[in-house]
Amino acid sequence: MILVLKPGSTRQELDHILDRVRQLGLRAHLSEGEQRTIIGLIGDETKLHGEPLAALPGVEQVLPILKPFKLASREFQRGDTVVMVGGVRVGGGFLAMIAGPCAVETESLLDEIAGAVKQAGANILRGGAFKPRTSPYSFQGLGQDGLRILEAVGQKHDMPVVTEVMDPRQVEMVSRHADMFQVGARNMQNFDLLRELGQTRKPVLLKRGMSATVKDLLMSAEYVLAEGNGNIVLCERGVRSFEDSTRNLLDLSAVPNIKGLSHLPIIADPSHATGRPDLIPAMSRAAIAAGSDGVHVEVHACPEEALSDGPQALLPSQYAAMMNEIRRVAKVMERSIDPPARARTM
Amino acid sequence: MILVLKPGSTRQELDHILDRVRQLGLRAHLSEGEQRTIIGLIGDETKLHGEPLAALPGVEQVLPILKPFKLASREFQRGDTVVMVGGVRVGGGFLAMIAGPCAVETESLLDEIAGAVKQAGANILRGGAFKPRTSPYSFQGLGQDGLRILEAVGQKHDMPVVTEVMDPRQVEMVSRHADMFQVGARNMQNFDLLRELGQTRKPVLLKRGMSATVKDLLMSAEYVLAEGNGNIVLCERGVRSFEDSTRNLLDLSAVPNIKGLSHLPIIADPSHATGRPDLIPAMSRAAIAAGSDGVHVEVHACPEEALSDGPQALLPSQYAAMMNEIRRVAKVMERSIDPPARARTM
Amino acid sequence: MILVLKPGSTRQELDHILDRVRQLGLRAHLSEGEQRTIIGLIGDETKLHGEPLAALPGVEQVLPILKPFKLASREFQRGDTVVMVGGVRVGGGFLAMIAGPCAVETESLLDEIAGAVKQAGANILRGGAFKPRTSPYSFQGLGQDGLRILEAVGQKHDMPVVTEVMDPRQVEMVSRHADMFQVGARNMQNFDLLRELGQTRKPVLLKRGMSATVKDLLMSAEYVLAEGNGNIVLCERGVRSFEDSTRNLLDLSAVPNIKGLSHLPIIADPSHATGRPDLIPAMSRAAIAAGSDGVHVEVHACPEEALSDGPQALLPSQYAAMMNEIRRVAKVMERSIDPPARARTM
Amino acid sequence: MILVLKPGSTRQELDHILDRVRQLGLRAHLSEGEQRTIIGLIGDETKLHGEPLAALPGVEQVLPILKPFKLASREFQRGDTVVMVGGVRVGGGFLAMIAGPCAVETESLLDEIAGAVKQAGANILRGGAFKPRTSPYSFQGLGQDGLRILEAVGQKHDMPVVTEVMDPRQVEMVSRHADMFQVGARNMQNFDLLRELGQTRKPVLLKRGMSATVKDLLMSAEYVLAEGNGNIVLCERGVRSFEDSTRNLLDLSAVPNIKGLSHLPIIADPSHATGRPDLIPAMSRAAIAAGSDGVHVEVHACPEEALSDGPQALLPSQYAAMMNEIRRVAKVMERSIDPPARARTM
């Protein structure tokens, strides 16, 4: 950490700052320039979390030089993490092809969709039982009934299943039915929920918040990691912007950016990011070409009757066509796609 | 709701759309223009929540014409809501002057701050016991001990107290110690938490999320209202933007904007919005001049030793100077400030 | 400037960096910490403009510590600049009350509006002759005819006039008719235009670009200052954001922020920022309370027939009511409003 | 266009609105719903440009249903436009591989870079002679000398050249030296410049502004088209966002989005968008996979000595490696890359 002092800072202020630095167990390295005095802090910077050095009189700026996340960083772990979702590998060259409806509606409908997406090449089935809806008057999901349907359909098709958890009180119940938890964009900084999931050993699909920086996302992963659960798959799903012809703005640069900073797998969700089925195939190809460890796509057999987010879903036939393109791009990128399997048999 | 059809839509698509509209219990009003066919839907639009009309073949756009919130709207209630926080009126011409440290640290420190801000004119005391911190390694708050200290200091100074609640499991405990719940920006769309708070009758200070539109904020208030709790004070606290010299961008236009749309009181929080003590007095004056029902400001007796957000806190003396200015602007705006009181005696 | 080296940087890279620093005429101050090596550069940092130190092998980050603008800074000039617009003082406690239609349409209409806004208390008349319209098919302004009308009406009412200039080739012509140039948001980084205006001595109203930071705005002012023209009034007029219920997001924190960084006056334009007449009076009051040196408001006698931006204009009667409020806030802020005058007679 | 009336609008207001509509030569189609009255306007909507219908008393909202651009639209021209840059085809399945330094510095340096990028597979050479720099103290380009160097080097290597034009007064001079004009992000809405370029027949590389929507970009293209120049290549180069680890946010969804709306070619510029050489190869691959008609990449033989934007440039060897990947993705996408040629010989 570097402290830059104000132009007119006094000797007394400087002495007070140096005292505080010593109290914190650090050494100060002073550089008196022509226009500014600079203090480099030497020692264990982790002691400084929460230390409001910017509030010291005479300090103009505090410039952090180390990254605030640790367990999530490439410096902590060089090699790629490979997360097992049921029997499907994600990361380290293996792609997660997650597909399914926004919400679980009925068993027969989910069964139809699962059969179709598996056939097309998906290896993980998704479906929401608890739905975070902007309006209290919208369909809120089937709750535990939805979880039971999802589990049954996953078993029937031998596909691992992922579903959203919104409340720490649901963790135990969701854990009994699903192979992977999803934390939605709106809950990326629901820290109590993250801690609760950190205490399980189930994989967590952690979606980037709509106003979260790449660093914020990695800090949220750090909450889960710090509790002992390293099975995290990150997901870029678009951020808020002024552009109004898409629902959000898919930040694909986050993919190589995070690959450089972290060992955790990262996938992309073009369905929620764009909200437009006509853009999903192109953005899925682009995601894989950018180095993404998979894509998360909403598929519905009858979008016009979907109870949630129908207009952004692909039809099963559109998904199958897209998967044909994805496979060609994946080959160029030298990526493999594990077949779906609830439990892995080597 | 208005449906705009695609230029090349067929007769068959149109018939299918009209069928769906009738199934939903609505009437369709058809306008065939030179370049587009438009269908106006007549009837109870609330039936359409979650209806994915945009997914119907042949539909180009769906244009909603009614606001998606109801109980929060001025159309539902003409007059301003006045929320009682302990014995302090907020809204309808009465200002909430909320002040205190970011986090409760020790009883003696909070006592000192409370005395100073009350003296300066604050009428509600704030202090965090559960802190949503970006890093798992930062100070996370004192938890229940913090709540006990906050309550004791509030009683000593006869000030109602407000504190953040982050987890539905904390609602009951926080309720026993505080006069008002705070929902932070990161939890504005934590819908399970909102529903839980809706089942109490305690006032809720609902902060706007960093990427929430004005409409999103009102939809979150609607979650609390729909459960039966009408005691909501909204809070503008800045949104994310590209400007990097302030922490967030305080959207003061949200104040008159929301005043037009809703009967709920709305206050501003320039501390979290700007993150800069040098800007807080000017933005507090501006908030009151814009019609805000109060301001929420962080004050700390020793910012350099604060365990959380010290650099953005005002000193008690700075707060007192600011309150002198606020009172002059409040007079121009014909607003009153109730004295602090735990319970109101008329 | 501070260079932070990469964790694994080599001795050879370090030596090369130190060589480059010496070539630039600067001294290097080395701090070898536990996790990072840091180099403070001592000497005249202005030599570094455009020096791509971040591209040196082994460098992880370059942290600038000085502000990139100089002539615009408070460090260069402590006291407030007061700009004379015709005979009207702006800055240093004097408010610019700029009002008029978006575009000059006819002489009789402009005459009517000018009479009304002068009566209400405006001291500078605005009106566009060259209009930067998003669509090539929209009304583009009357050009030189518009300038002649504006000048004539300004003379009749003894009001100084401000009008937009979009093209360096128009500078000379506009200069003959107007008392102040306006540079619109879309041209804030039209550097050839800024240089051309810097060579005149006429005041320039420089509007913040929709995606410009506060620092970017001051850098654009620096272009005008560097050519020798110090008569600049800055204008906050809203930035792009995801909020869709207002046209742009008025960043009032830019007012005290810029007051701290620069000696130049800064005013606010709530008309273009919000695009909504119902929000303009509240945001004008807020601007003055935040310390703004004036407000720029569009007024039209018949908004429904305006050729440009009618829906965001206030009626003359609404403007007069707003000015009554403004005067009360200005009094609290101890600001004066010079009467309109083309040339000042002391 | 659809007008939605306010809930309490009067009969008198309605009659006045219907009068205005008829004056404009349109027919009104009235739908009186349970909660709102809606008026559909039938006839030639282009008459409405600039008509401030939202200002009519009683009108709550104006909902446009047609796109505001015409010549740029897919509805106007079904098939893809193929732009000839010198002898290189761009669009319709042909990729522009534009590479070169940010600024032209010396002839020998440009010669070295040109040789290397041509060898690697680039087909158009770029280099700035007029540089729009945020600071007036940064290197501003060599001006006409730079143009002469660029032309000479382009001729030597038989590569067409593109360079930025910032001022309408430079158009004629740039035209004599370059094969393609570049309009930078800061000038996307410099409408006088666009009109001037529209009067030439040279190709224009039109970059998206940092706060421009996709629609805004197409409206700016419409300015050039409306003057008669159809040789436009659009360029996505990142928009402003809160993410601070990249310079801007590359919006790759703009590529398929614009492909749907317009017949014009669109390429991507990952250099300016990310500002980070480590992310450029991944984002270039992603751009091609998303359907982009090429990529625009900065390459410099010695980034640490570049006079402009060195830190974001690729080394020639990095560019060559990237081109190997690009060719494999281009093959999957069935795209061709014309060899460089100043004039095409069929």
Side-chain angles (χ1 to χ4, degrees):
Chain A
M1 203 156 289
I2 296 167
L3 307 184
V4 180
L5 303 198
K6 289 180 185 160
S9 61
T10 64
R11 186 73 225 171
Q12 202 178 356
E13 285 169 342
L14 176 60
D15 289 343
H16 178 60
I17 293 165
L18 296 176
D19 276 355
R20 286 289 288 154
V21 168
R22 274 188 291 269
Q23 283 168 27
L24 292 164
L26 298 164
R27 278 173 302 125
H29 190 125
L30 204 67
S31 296
E32 298 190 68
E34 288 182 16
Q35 310 207 42
R36 288 289 190 285
T37 294
I38 293 163
I39 304 173
L41 303 191
I42 299 171
D44 181 5
E45 260 195 37
T46 59
K47 292 176 187 164
L48 297 176
H49 282 295
E51 272 302 324
L53 297 171
L56 285 165
V59 172
E60 186 177 75
Q61 289 180 72
V62 176
L63 304 169
I65 58 165
L66 295 185
K67 295 175 189 77
F69 46 88
K70 189 183 156 202
L71 304 175
S73 74
R74 275 273 179 219
E75 292 169 21
F76 183 78
Q77 182 188 312
R78 283 272 138 215
D80 286 349
T81 286
V82 179
V83 173
M84 292 301 302
V85 182
V88 172
R89 287 170 290 185
V90 182
F94 297 95
L95 302 183
M97 302 306 307
I98 305 177
C102 183
V104 175
E105 300 173 23
T106 66
E107 182 153 352
S108 63
L109 184 61
L110 187 65
D111 184 30
E112 179 186 350
I113 297 170
V117 298
K118 182 179 179 178
Q119 173 76 20
N123 55 13
I124 300 175
L125 179 66
R126 65 146 285 137
F130 298 100
K131 299 298 306 166
R133 303 302 296 274
T134 308
S135 166
Y137 310 123
S138 297
F139 174 61
Q140 308 275 322
L142 297 179
Q144 190 162 9
D145 287 346
L147 293 176
R148 285 197 202 99
I149 293 172
L150 182 65
E151 186 182 13
V153 173
Q155 273 172 344
K156 177 174 168 194
H157 294 275
D158 196 24
M159 295 182 86
V161 297
V162 56
T163 198
E164 181 156 357
V165 59
M166 293 164 60
D167 183 329
R169 296 171 299 186
Q170 298 160 350
V171 170
E172 202 267 335
M173 187 207 294
V174 171
S175 179
R176 272 183 280 124
H177 298 284
D179 299 284
M180 184 182 214
F181 296 108
Q182 177 183 311
V183 176
R186 287 170 184 78
N187 282 302
M188 191 201 85
Q189 293 191 318
N190 184 334
F191 300 119
D192 289 290
L193 178 62
L194 296 177
R195 266 192 285 256
E196 201 79 24
L197 295 172
Q199 284 160 20
T200 75
R201 292 300 170 267
K202 280 239 158 135
V204 176
L205 179 62
L206 179 61
K207 293 188 143 192
R208 180 180 182 184
M210 279 179 277
S211 58
T213 61
V214 157
K215 198 184 80 178
D216 290 338
L217 174 58
L218 289 169
M219 291 305 292
S220 284
E222 193 82 10
Y223 263 92
V224 180
L225 284 157
E227 297 287 330
N229 186 356
N231 299 307
I232 302 168
V233 176
L234 304 171
C235 182
E236 162 60 34
R237 48 78 71 212
V239 294
R240 278 262 159 142
S241 94
F242 60 84
E243 174 61 54
D244 55 6
S245 65
T246 52
R247 187 164 153 161
N248 287 117
L249 202 162
L250 186 66
D251 176 12
L252 280 185
S253 73
V255 172
N257 198 350
I258 284 177
K259 286 276 168 208
L261 295 168
S262 178
H263 51 86
L264 295 172
I266 173 160
I267 68 169
D269 172 356
S271 298
H272 286 88
T274 66
R276 284 178 44 184
D278 58 324
L279 306 181
I280 293 172
M283 297 320 286
S284 295
R285 295 190 310 260
I288 300 301
S292 173
D293 296 301
V295 287
H296 174 283
V297 172
E298 294 201 348
V299 178
H300 199 285
C302 186
E304 73 176 75
E305 294 190 352
L307 296 172
S308 175
D309 275 351
Q312 79 187 31
L314 292 186
L315 290 167
S317 59
Q318 294 170 320
Y319 183 71
M322 183 190 100
M323 283 298 295
N324 284 337
E325 300 171 351
I326 292 283
R327 268 187 289 263
R328 299 176 65 199
V329 180
K331 202 175 158 195
V332 167
M333 295 294 296
E334 297 171 9
R335 296 291 193 275
S336 309
I337 304 176
D338 269 350
R342 296 276 292 176
R344 187 157 186 83
T345 43
M346 295 298 221
Chain B
M1 202 157 290
I2 297 166
L3 306 182
V4 181
L5 302 197
K6 288 181 184 160
S9 61
T10 63
R11 186 72 225 170
Q12 202 178 356
E13 285 169 343
L14 177 59
D15 289 343
H16 178 60
I17 293 165
L18 297 176
D19 276 354
R20 286 288 290 155
V21 168
R22 273 188 291 269
Q23 282 167 28
L24 292 164
L26 298 165
R27 278 173 302 126
H29 190 126
L30 205 68
S31 297
E32 298 191 67
E34 288 181 15
Q35 311 207 43
R36 289 289 189 285
T37 294
I38 293 164
I39 305 173
L41 304 191
I42 298 171
D44 180 7
E45 260 196 37
T46 59
K47 292 176 187 164
L48 297 174
H49 283 295
E51 270 303 323
L53 298 171
L56 285 164
V59 171
E60 185 177 75
Q61 289 179 71
V62 176
L63 305 168
I65 57 164
L66 295 185
K67 296 175 189 77
F69 46 87
K70 189 183 156 203
L71 304 175
S73 73
R74 276 272 179 220
E75 292 170 20
F76 183 77
Q77 181 187 314
R78 282 271 139 214
D80 287 348
T81 285
V82 179
V83 174
M84 291 302 301
V85 181
V88 172
R89 286 169 290 183
V90 182
F94 297 94
L95 302 183
M97 301 307 307
I98 305 178
C102 183
V104 175
E105 299 173 23
T106 66
E107 183 154 352
S108 63
L109 185 59
L110 187 63
D111 184 29
E112 180 186 348
I113 298 170
V117 299
K118 181 178 179 179
Q119 173 77 19
N123 55 13
I124 300 175
L125 179 66
R126 65 147 284 137
F130 298 101
K131 298 299 308 167
R133 304 302 296 273
T134 309
S135 166
Y137 309 123
S138 298
F139 173 62
Q140 307 274 322
L142 298 179
Q144 189 162 11
D145 288 345
L147 294 176
R148 284 196 203 101
I149 293 173
L150 182 64
E151 185 182 15
V153 173
Q155 273 171 342
K156 177 172 167 195
H157 293 276
D158 196 26
M159 294 182 87
V161 297
V162 56
T163 198
E164 182 156 356
V165 59
M166 293 164 60
D167 183 330
R169 297 171 299 185
Q170 298 160 352
V171 169
E172 201 267 333
M173 188 208 293
V174 171
S175 179
R176 273 183 278 123
H177 297 286
D179 300 284
M180 185 182 213
F181 296 108
Q182 178 184 311
V183 176
R186 289 171 182 78
N187 282 304
M188 191 201 83
Q189 293 189 318
N190 184 334
F191 300 118
D192 289 291
L193 178 61
L194 296 178
R195 266 191 286 256
E196 201 78 25
L197 295 173
Q199 283 159 21
T200 75
R201 292 300 170 264
K202 279 238 159 139
V204 177
L205 180 62
L206 179 61
K207 291 188 143 191
R208 181 179 181 183
M210 279 180 277
S211 59
T213 61
V214 156
K215 198 185 81 178
D216 291 338
L217 173 59
L218 289 169
M219 290 306 290
S220 284
E222 194 82 8
Y223 263 92
V224 180
L225 284 157
E227 296 288 330
N229 186 356
N231 298 306
I232 302 168
V233 176
L234 305 171
C235 182
E236 161 60 35
R237 50 77 71 212
V239 295
R240 278 262 160 144
S241 95
F242 59 84
E243 174 60 55
D244 55 5
S245 65
T246 51
R247 187 162 155 164
N248 287 116
L249 203 162
L250 185 67
D251 176 13
L252 280 185
S253 73
V255 171
N257 198 349
I258 285 178
K259 285 275 168 209
L261 294 168
S262 177
H263 52 86
L264 295 172
I266 174 161
I267 68 169
D269 173 355
S271 298
H272 285 88
T274 66
R276 284 177 45 183
D278 59 322
L279 307 181
I280 293 172
M283 298 319 286
S284 294
R285 293 190 311 259
I288 300 301
S292 173
D293 297 301
V295 288
H296 175 283
V297 173
E298 295 201 347
V299 178
H300 199 286
C302 186
E304 73 176 76
E305 295 190 353
L307 295 173
S308 174
D309 275 350
Q312 78 187 30
L314 291 186
L315 291 167
S317 59
Q318 293 170 321
Y319 183 71
M322 184 191 99
M323 283 298 294
N324 283 336
E325 299 171 352
I326 292 282
R327 268 186 289 263
R328 298 177 66 200
V329 180
K331 201 175 159 196
V332 167
M333 295 294 295
E334 296 172 9
R335 295 293 193 275
S336 310
I337 305 176
D338 270 350
R342 297 277 289 177
R344 186 157 187 83
T345 43
M346 295 298 220
Chain C
M1 205 157 287
I2 297 168
L3 307 183
V4 181
L5 303 197
K6 287 180 186 160
S9 60
T10 64
R11 187 71 225 173
Q12 203 178 355
E13 286 169 341
L14 177 59
D15 289 342
H16 178 62
I17 293 165
L18 296 176
D19 276 355
R20 287 287 291 153
V21 168
R22 272 188 291 269
Q23 282 167 28
L24 292 165
L26 298 166
R27 280 175 299 128
H29 191 125
L30 204 69
S31 296
E32 298 191 68
E34 289 182 15
Q35 311 207 43
R36 288 288 188 287
T37 293
I38 293 163
I39 304 173
L41 303 190
I42 298 172
D44 180 7
E45 260 195 37
T46 59
K47 294 176 186 164
L48 297 175
H49 282 296
E51 271 303 323
L53 299 171
L56 285 165
V59 172
E60 185 176 75
Q61 290 179 72
V62 175
L63 304 169
I65 58 165
L66 295 185
K67 295 175 190 76
F69 45 87
K70 190 184 155 204
L71 304 175
S73 73
R74 276 272 179 219
E75 293 170 20
F76 182 77
Q77 181 189 314
R78 282 273 137 213
D80 286 349
T81 286
V82 179
V83 174
M84 290 303 301
V85 181
V88 172
R89 286 169 290 185
V90 181
F94 297 94
L95 302 183
M97 302 307 307
I98 305 176
C102 183
V104 175
E105 299 173 24
T106 65
E107 183 155 349
S108 63
L109 185 59
L110 187 64
D111 183 30
E112 179 186 350
I113 298 171
V117 298
K118 181 178 179 179
Q119 172 78 20
N123 54 13
I124 301 174
L125 179 66
R126 65 147 285 136
F130 298 101
K131 298 298 309 166
R133 304 300 298 274
T134 308
S135 166
Y137 310 124
S138 297
F139 173 61
Q140 308 273 323
L142 297 180
Q144 189 162 10
D145 287 345
L147 293 176
R148 284 197 203 100
I149 292 173
L150 182 64
E151 184 182 13
V153 173
Q155 273 172 342
K156 177 173 168 193
H157 293 276
D158 196 26
M159 294 182 86
V161 297
V162 56
T163 198
E164 181 155 358
V165 59
M166 292 165 61
D167 183 329
R169 297 172 299 185
Q170 298 161 351
V171 169
E172 202 266 335
M173 187 208 292
V174 172
S175 179
R176 273 183 279 124
H177 297 286
D179 300 285
M180 185 181 213
F181 296 108
Q182 178 183 310
V183 176
R186 287 171 184 79
N187 281 304
M188 191 201 83
Q189 293 191 318
N190 184 334
F191 300 120
D192 289 291
L193 178 62
L194 297 178
R195 267 191 286 256
E196 201 78 25
L197 295 173
Q199 284 159 21
T200 75
R201 293 298 171 266
K202 279 239 159 136
V204 177
L205 180 62
L206 179 60
K207 292 188 144 192
R208 180 180 181 182
M210 279 180 278
S211 59
T213 61
V214 157
K215 198 184 80 180
D216 292 338
L217 174 58
L218 289 169
M219 290 306 291
S220 284
E222 193 82 9
Y223 263 92
V224 180
L225 284 157
E227 297 288 329
N229 186 355
N231 298 307
I232 302 167
V233 176
L234 305 170
C235 182
E236 161 61 34
R237 50 76 73 213
V239 294
R240 278 263 159 142
S241 95
F242 60 84
E243 174 61 53
D244 55 5
S245 66
T246 51
R247 188 163 154 163
N248 287 117
L249 202 162
L250 185 67
D251 176 13
L252 280 185
S253 74
V255 172
N257 198 350
I258 285 178
K259 286 275 168 208
L261 294 168
S262 177
H263 52 86
L264 295 171
I266 174 161
I267 68 168
D269 173 356
S271 297
H272 285 88
T274 65
R276 284 177 45 183
D278 58 324
L279 306 181
I280 293 172
M283 298 320 285
S284 295
R285 293 189 314 256
I288 300 300
S292 173
D293 296 302
V295 288
H296 174 283
V297 172
E298 295 201 347
V299 178
H300 199 286
C302 186
E304 72 177 75
E305 295 190 352
L307 295 173
S308 175
D309 275 351
Q312 77 188 29
L314 290 187
L315 291 167
S317 59
Q318 293 170 321
Y319 183 70
M322 184 191 99
M323 282 298 294
N324 284 335
E325 299 170 352
I326 292 282
R327 269 188 288 264
R328 297 177 66 198
V329 179
K331 201 175 158 195
V332 166
M333 295 295 294
E334 296 172 8
R335 295 291 193 275
S336 308
I337 305 176
D338 270 350
R342 296 276 290 176
R344 188 159 185 80
T345 43
M346 295 299 220
Chain D
M1 204 156 289
I2 297 167
L3 307 182
V4 181
L5 303 197
K6 288 180 187 161
S9 60
T10 63
R11 188 71 224 171
Q12 203 178 355
E13 286 168 341
L14 177 59
D15 289 342
H16 178 62
I17 294 165
L18 296 176
D19 276 355
R20 288 286 292 154
V21 168
R22 272 187 292 268
Q23 282 168 27
L24 292 164
L26 300 164
R27 279 173 301 125
H29 191 124
L30 204 69
S31 295
E32 299 190 65
E34 288 181 16
Q35 311 207 41
R36 288 288 189 285
T37 294
I38 294 164
I39 305 173
L41 303 191
I42 298 171
D44 181 6
E45 258 195 39
T46 59
K47 292 176 188 165
L48 296 176
H49 281 296
E51 271 302 323
L53 298 171
L56 286 165
V59 171
E60 185 177 76
Q61 290 179 72
V62 176
L63 305 169
I65 58 165
L66 296 185
K67 294 175 190 77
F69 46 88
K70 189 184 156 203
L71 305 174
S73 74
R74 275 273 179 219
E75 291 170 22
F76 182 78
Q77 180 187 314
R78 282 272 137 214
D80 287 348
T81 285
V82 179
V83 174
M84 290 303 301
V85 181
V88 172
R89 285 169 291 185
V90 182
F94 298 94
L95 301 184
M97 302 306 307
I98 305 177
C102 184
V104 175
E105 299 172 23
T106 66
E107 183 154 350
S108 63
L109 184 60
L110 187 64
D111 184 31
E112 179 186 349
I113 297 170
V117 299
K118 182 179 179 177
Q119 173 76 20
N123 55 12
I124 300 174
L125 179 67
R126 65 147 284 136
F130 298 101
K131 299 297 308 167
R133 303 301 298 273
T134 308
S135 165
Y137 310 123
S138 298
F139 174 62
Q140 308 273 322
L142 298 179
Q144 190 162 8
D145 288 345
L147 293 175
R148 285 196 203 100
I149 293 173
L150 183 65
E151 185 181 14
V153 173
Q155 274 171 343
K156 178 174 166 193
H157 293 276
D158 196 26
M159 295 182 86
V161 297
V162 56
T163 198
E164 181 156 358
V165 59
M166 293 164 60
D167 184 330
R169 296 171 300 184
Q170 300 160 350
V171 169
E172 202 268 334
M173 187 207 293
V174 172
S175 180
R176 274 183 278 125
H177 297 285
D179 300 284
M180 184 182 213
F181 297 108
Q182 178 184 309
V183 176
R186 287 171 184 78
N187 282 304
M188 191 201 84
Q189 294 190 319
N190 184 334
F191 300 118
D192 289 290
L193 179 61
L194 297 177
R195 266 191 286 255
E196 201 78 25
L197 295 171
Q199 283 159 22
T200 76
R201 291 299 170 266
K202 280 238 156 137
V204 177
L205 180 62
L206 179 61
K207 292 189 143 191
R208 179 180 182 183
M210 280 180 276
S211 58
T213 61
V214 157
K215 198 184 79 179
D216 291 338
L217 174 59
L218 290 168
M219 291 306 291
S220 284
E222 193 82 9
Y223 263 91
V224 180
L225 285 157
E227 297 288 329
N229 187 355
N231 298 306
I232 301 168
V233 177
L234 304 171
C235 181
E236 162 59 34
R237 48 79 71 214
V239 294
R240 279 262 159 141
S241 94
F242 60 84
E243 174 60 54
D244 55 5
S245 65
T246 51
R247 188 163 153 163
N248 287 118
L249 202 162
L250 186 67
D251 176 13
L252 280 184
S253 73
V255 172
N257 197 350
I258 285 177
K259 286 275 169 209
L261 294 168
S262 178
H263 51 85
L264 296 171
I266 173 161
I267 68 168
D269 172 355
S271 297
H272 284 88
T274 66
R276 284 177 44 182
D278 59 323
L279 307 181
I280 293 172
M283 298 320 286
S284 294
R285 295 190 311 259
I288 300 301
S292 173
D293 296 301
V295 288
H296 175 284
V297 173
E298 296 201 347
V299 178
H300 199 286
C302 186
E304 73 177 74
E305 295 189 353
L307 295 173
S308 174
D309 275 350
Q312 78 187 30
L314 290 186
L315 290 167
S317 59
Q318 293 170 321
Y319 183 71
M322 184 191 99
M323 283 299 295
N324 285 336
E325 300 171 352
I326 292 282
R327 269 186 288 264
R328 299 177 65 201
V329 180
K331 202 175 159 196
V332 167
M333 295 294 296
E334 296 171 11
R335 296 292 193 275
S336 309
I337 304 177
D338 270 351
R342 296 275 292 176
R344 186 156 188 84
T345 43
M346 295 298 223

